[in-house]
Amino acid sequence: MVERSPVRLQDVAEHAGVSLATASRMLSDPGYGGRAGLRERVLASAAALGYRPNPHARALATATSMNVGLVIHDVRDAYFATLSGGVITVAERHDLLVTMVCTYRNAPRELEYVQRLAAQRVRAIILAGSSLRDTAHTEAMHAELEAYQDSGGSVVSVTRGRTVGHVVDIDNAGGMRKLVHDLVALGHTSFGVIAGPLKLLAVRDRLQGIRQGLKDHGLSLGRDDIVYVDLSREGGLAGAEQLMTRPDPPRCLLAVADVIAFGALSWLRARGIAVPADVSVTGFGGIPATLDAVPSLTTVELPLEEVGETAMELALKPASPRHVVEVEGTLARRDSTAPPH
Amino acid sequence: MVERSPVRLQDVAEHAGVSLATASRMLSDPGYGGRAGLRERVLASAAALGYRPNPHARALATATSMNVGLVIHDVRDAYFATLSGGVITVAERHDLLVTMVCTYRNAPRELEYVQRLAAQRVRAIILAGSSLRDTAHTEAMHAELEAYQDSGGSVVSVTRGRTVGHVVDIDNAGGMRKLVHDLVALGHTSFGVIAGPLKLLAVRDRLQGIRQGLKDHGLSLGRDDIVYVDLSREGGLAGAEQLMTRPDPPRCLLAVADVIAFGALSWLRARGIAVPADVSVTGFGGIPATLDAVPSLTTVELPLEEVGETAMELALKPASPRHVVEVEGTLARRDSTAPPH
DNA sequence: CTGAAAGCGCTTACAG
DNA sequence: CTGAAAGCGCTTACAG
């Protein structure tokens, strides 16, 4: 089916008048001695023939590749796209190619992808999405990642709660807590929360941060003050609808993610409900679009690109000692929040 | 450095009591006969041992892999993120993994990535970004892609003007022309164009569409009516500044891309210039955020996710006959445009 | 320092 | 249908 590439290392060796072994050394081991001019001759031959090493042959012989695997929930989501940008930037600096897979928050799919990436002998697997709360799945992932790491792979997770590999730990709870404090300071007491799927650890943490922030001021959430929706713009639309059509709608809508907040803003706009005059709205994440929204969205800004860069950098470090990098969100108080009148 | 994976095909063969060759056939050739129960036995052994085939060994033996390469300008840009989502969706259906590289519109980098992907024997290379106008580079790319295709690879470009492989041809000029017609129908006669880098073929085509659309109505662009900026939000900010601070600012700003329009909207908002009351603004592309902007952005909507899906589907087809799929943009008239008062 | 040879883990003609 | 063997294109002990 496929024609083989014409020029192999063997060809280069012959062209340069050396053995296969020598050609290999001159080409891939910069520290190797070699008699004067030899290296130059081999390099010249390689260039002359347009030699391109076969990465599969190399991977087979050395059991490592120049690829890294990046596991995210969804590229179409700006949160992950931005983070991926950071990963790719650093990977490029190290001549690494990144293979990206999207799980769409589906546990079996996540596991299968990790297995495939491990089978590919990628140098590292970066799990950039919040981990999924499911005991059986967590155990299977753990076993898989452990085995992968034991066989020389590097694992990095952008989520807390992973017990293997390096971790970039985003302080979801702390960020939300800060945000809530700020809103309470503005005078808010009536909150509605639009949450995402509870299977996401990040969602749980953000909710916990909200509860804690309220509790710090003697406030709390009623049963009906929180709705669970899809982590998307559509989810935000539905969530706002549920909360705002109650007899006594909240004066402040806390979304657990920026995209959800966008949906909520859209719902409110369509109903002619003014933000922030009638109701305040907040997001979480700080994706670039929060600046373009009108009103601009108050949110907890995460250095997403930097998170991606850090993750990729950790991926380059040896598995031991384990690194845990804590990332704080910054409160970005913008135009979608104001004191309730 | 790296421990080898413990279970090889050889182990499965021994466990099942068959030869290596038979094990290989039972596992990877579904159409192969084999005596009754043999296949089941081999599969059972593979499962029992947790066998995972080594894709590099397979790639070396067959000269194909289960990966495809996706070349884009920038993942952080929603245009490419959305398109990539489509590619990944279809790739997943075919058990293909996608390796994504970002060129940041840098020609040498694009070429180098294509070479690396070709060396990896990816099944297909999808060039999702507009091609770069640079004769030397175009020729080098052409040679590389041709060689890659001759060796069995599949190439798909989402840009016109590529003479090798399948093509998804987005009608940039036609879309812009439709948009301009609509604006002229609204009563606009005074336009300012915020263009991107002229090295991008897509930018040239969109400009050409604008010129044509104007010409259809006996209008034209003056020397100062067009500014060239970076294809980004910041570019839009700068472009709006240049055009709107002229003695006689235009009444309608045409951006060649949605992100540029966002920057322009932001600049206008900061100056208290009302859109669309004082000035109309349009984009191109139809990325999801155009709906969340306030006012929502009038744009030419491209089915970006579908474009990605189509590209990946074409990648699965044989190189011959060549397919060229034409994609039209849809005029999305929204709130950022109105008749000039 | 250099080369001949074995080995990485598969697939696939070639015999039987 | 099945198996022994060669081969894919590299790297790397092992001798010299």
Side-chain angles (χ1 to χ4, degrees), chain A residues 1 5 52-53 59 66 91 109 136 138 156 161 185 207 209 234 252 259 267 302 304 311 314 320 322 328 330:
Chain A
M1 55 168 65
S5 165
R52 208 98 57 195
M66 291 295 273
R109 187 189 266 131
T138 303
V156 180
L207 283 179
E234 289 64 42
C252 182
V259 284
W267 190 89
L302 265 23
L304 293 170
L314 289 181
S320 171
R322 285 185 74 198
E328 299 263 310
T330 309

Side-chain angles (χ1 to χ4, degrees), chain A residues 23 27 63 66 87 98 101 117 149 170 175 199 205 215-216 225 235 241 251 286 289 293 297 301 310 323 329 332:
Chain A
L27 251 27
M66 291 295 273
V87 170
V98 0
V101 298
L117 291 169
Q149 183 175 267
I170 294 176
K199 68 175 174 184
D205 288 348
K215 195 174 164 196
D216 295 336
D225 296 336
E241 164 106 30
R251 303 299 312 279
L297 189 67
E301 201 166 1
T310 303
H323 290 258

Side-chain angles (χ1 to χ4, degrees), chain B residues 40 83 87 130 152 162 210 246 248 253 265 269 295 324:
Chain B
E40 289 64 31
L83 192 156
V87 170
S130 166
R162 191 87 67 191
I210 292 174
R246 297 187 334 189
D248 181 30
L253 252 28
L265 284 177
R269 196 183 310 128
V324 176

Side-chain angles (χ1 to χ4, degrees), chain B residues 137-222:
Chain B
H137 174 248
T138 303
E139 276 171 19
M141 280 286 287
H142 185 90
E144 193 65 38
L145 291 172
E146 189 105 303
Y148 168 68
Q149 183 175 267
D150 286 348
S151 78
S154 179
V155 0
V156 180
S157 306
V158 183
T159 181
R160 72 172 178 80
R162 191 87 67 191
T163 54
V164 47
H166 304 304
V167 168
V168 179
D169 185 3
I170 294 177
D171 186 11
N172 285 299
M176 266 303 194
R177 191 173 174 187
K178 270 191 286 191
L179 174 62
V180 169
H181 286 178
D182 200 62
L183 294 166
V184 171
L186 277 181
H188 282 282
T189 54
S190 146
F191 295 93
V193 176
I194 313 183
L198 276 181
K199 67 176 175 183
L200 291 175
L201 188 54
V203 167
R204 289 180 174 260
D205 288 348
R206 290 173 197 173
L207 283 178
Q208 208 260 309
I210 292 174
R211 291 217 161 82
Q212 186 59 247
L214 291 172
K215 194 173 165 197
D216 295 336
H217 290 92
L219 298 169
S220 65
L221 246 29

